[in-house]
């Protein structure tokens, strides 16, 4: 009997240690943003369904691209290495806060060529930029929440502007996105056991993977995906109202001719999502202003509006914001 109890006791200790190690392993992977690579065989991106694998080694890295340009140090800074959080005209002026990804950050552009720079110059507002390369509005809001001291500099925020480009929906549909922002996306559950399980990285990973499975299992139907992203924008709007009660929330949908390195399904999917009814629903239900770049400038941005030297084939060049921003400001910033 004692032998059996000892065996059970040892097994419990071993299992406990394994769970602790698994939680530590998962937690550190997520923090280092390697989770998508490690979990490749446990989840699928849209591209995994419909395209052949891409040899990533054939793509130029940021460092390689910089070597093609005149000034290596300056070039590396404009690829996302520069702090572009503040565009201050006058500390007493009204403010605008922006969110988005590398498009809005100004990847490959000098600071004075960015959307925020033109926005600040034209409106005389102070602009605070929470656009992050590879990010979206959820990540930007998380950054703002982690730095509450930044709010003290934002005087009378009148507008919050989120620039959405077509790939944001693909970024949203990832285990790491759901893992890192589970409460933000799914915390309407009142079950105490769920909230307790979320504290353990291993179980949080399992819950995140299950949520992603439920959303993606209906492909190529996209109703659940569209509703999920609509809910994410609504939650973002709720969070923004806590920070900036009197602000106007504007979502800019960046319309462009898509790169041809995508599968036919992926191009169809992201294009359909850009034209989804959720944007009009958000306008009607949440009073969010939806602005399409093609409606402002009259056309889709094409190759003429892309960077020539780039780690990807789609980042906007300096002509985009120089042409778009004055028209946008005259129509939507009062």
């Amino acid at each position: 009997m004692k032998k059996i109890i000892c065996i059970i006791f040892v097994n419990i200790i071993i299992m406990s240690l394994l769970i602790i190690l698994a939680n530590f392993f998962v937690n550190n992977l997520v923090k280092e943003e390697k989770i998508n690579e490690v979990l490749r065989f446990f989840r699928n991106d849209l591209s995994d369904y419909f395209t052949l694998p891409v040899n990533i080694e054939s793509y130029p890295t940021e460092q390689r691209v910089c070597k093609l340009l005149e000034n290596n140090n300056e070039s590396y800074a404009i690829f996302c290495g520069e702090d572009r959080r503040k565009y201050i005209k006058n500390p007493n002026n009204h403010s605008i806060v922006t969110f988005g990804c590398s498009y809005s950050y100004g990847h490959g552009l000098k600071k004075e060529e960015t959307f925020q720079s033109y926005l600040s110059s034209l409106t005389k507002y102070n602009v605070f930029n929470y656009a992050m390369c590879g990010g979206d509005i959820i990540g930007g809001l998380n950054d703002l929440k982690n730095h509450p001291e930044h709010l003290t500099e934002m005087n009378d925020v009148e507008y919050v502007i989120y620039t959405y480009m077509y790939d944001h929906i693909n970024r949203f549909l990832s285990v790491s996105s759901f893992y890192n922002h589970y409460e933000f996306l799914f915390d309407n559950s009142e079950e105490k056991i769920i909230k307790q399980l979320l504290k353990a990285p291993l179980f949080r990973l399992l819950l995140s993977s299950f949520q992603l499975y439920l959303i993606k299992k209906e492909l190529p139907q996209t109703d659940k995906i569209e509703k999920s992203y609509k809910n994410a924008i609504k939650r973002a709007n709720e969070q923004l109202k806590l920070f900036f009660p009197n602000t106007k929330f504007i979502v800019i949908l960046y319309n462009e001719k898509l790169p041809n390195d995508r599968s036919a399904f992926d191009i169809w999917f992201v294009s359909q999502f850009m034209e989804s009814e959720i944007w009009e629903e958000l306008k009607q239900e949440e009073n969010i202003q939806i602005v399409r770049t093609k409606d402002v400038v009259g056309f889709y941005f094409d190759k003429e509006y892309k960077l020539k030297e780039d780690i990807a084939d789609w980042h906007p060049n300096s002509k985009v914001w120089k042409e778009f921003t004055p028209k946008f400001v005259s129509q939507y910033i009062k």
Side-chain angles (χ1 to χ4, degrees), residues 87-105:
Y87 296 73
I88 305 293
K89 289 297 179 183
N90 185 319
N92 297 319
N93 285 0
H94 294 219
S95 301
I96 296 173
V97 178
T98 63
F99 294 96
C101 63
S102 52
Y103 277 46
S104 185
Y105 169 88

Side-chain angles (χ1 to χ4, degrees), residues 17-191:
L17 287 173
L18 286 174
I19 291 174
I20 290 170
L21 285 172
N23 282 319
F24 177 80
F25 180 67
V26 170
N27 192 43
N28 279 277
L29 280 177
V30 174
K31 284 183 178 177
E32 296 175 13
E33 298 181 349
K34 294 179 181 177
I35 190 170
N36 283 340
E37 296 176 23
V38 176
L39 299 177
R40 184 171 183 79
F41 296 103
F42 299 95
R43 58 104 185 155
N44 290 301
D45 278 339
L46 292 174
S47 56
D48 294 330
Y49 285 109
F50 303 100
T51 62
L52 295 173
V54 174
N55 179 13
I56 195 66
E57 293 180 358
S58 66
Y59 278 67
T61 63
E62 292 188 4
Q63 289 84 352
R64 284 181 58 195
V65 173
C66 290
K67 290 178 181 178
L68 300 175
L69 305 178
E70 292 181 6
N71 186 322
N72 193 42
N73 292 332
E74 180 182 350
S75 299
Y76 188 73
I78 65 180
F79 275 109
C80 296
E82 183 178 58
D83 184 357
R84 300 183 175 181
R85 188 161 283 157
K86 302 174 186 177
Y87 296 73
I88 305 293
K89 289 297 179 183
N90 185 319
N92 297 319
N93 285 0
H94 294 219
S95 301
I96 296 173
V97 178
T98 63
F99 294 96
C101 63
S102 52
Y103 277 46
S104 185
Y105 169 88
H107 168 105
L109 304 179
K110 296 178 180 178
K111 189 172 181 179
E112 60 269 22
E113 296 173 329
T114 61
F115 175 47
Q116 289 80 10
S117 179
Y118 287 120
L119 196 60
S120 183
S121 295
L122 289 166
T123 63
K124 307 304 178 188
Y125 283 28
N126 297 320
V127 178
F128 295 87
N129 180 27
Y130 285 83
M132 302 181 296
C133 292
D136 57 11
I137 192 169
I138 300 173
L141 270 170
N142 190 59
D143 188 32
L144 183 58
K145 285 190 286 186
N146 288 335
H147 297 88
E149 69 276 9
H150 294 172
L151 295 170
T152 60
E153 299 182 68
M154 300 177 186
N155 182 51
D156 193 9
V157 176
E158 288 200 17
Y159 297 92
V160 172
I161 302 172
Y162 165 44
T163 302
Y164 173 94
M165 55 80 71
Y166 69 89
D167 206 38
H168 286 196
I169 186 60
N170 286 328
R171 298 173 194 178
F172 173 72
L173 297 173
S174 69
V175 172
S176 59
S177 175
F178 285 20
Y179 180 99
N180 287 313
H181 308 292
Y182 196 99
E183 291 89 350
F184 182 90
L185 297 170
F186 306 110
D187 73 350
N188 41 8
S189 170
E190 296 298 327
E191 296 182 33

Side-chain angles (χ1 to χ4, degrees), residues 250-264:
I250 300 175
V251 176
I252 296 175
L253 301 179
Y254 188 97
N255 299 110
E256 61 185 303
K257 293 185 177 178
L258 298 179
N260 58 10
D261 63 346
R262 299 261 175 170
S263 70

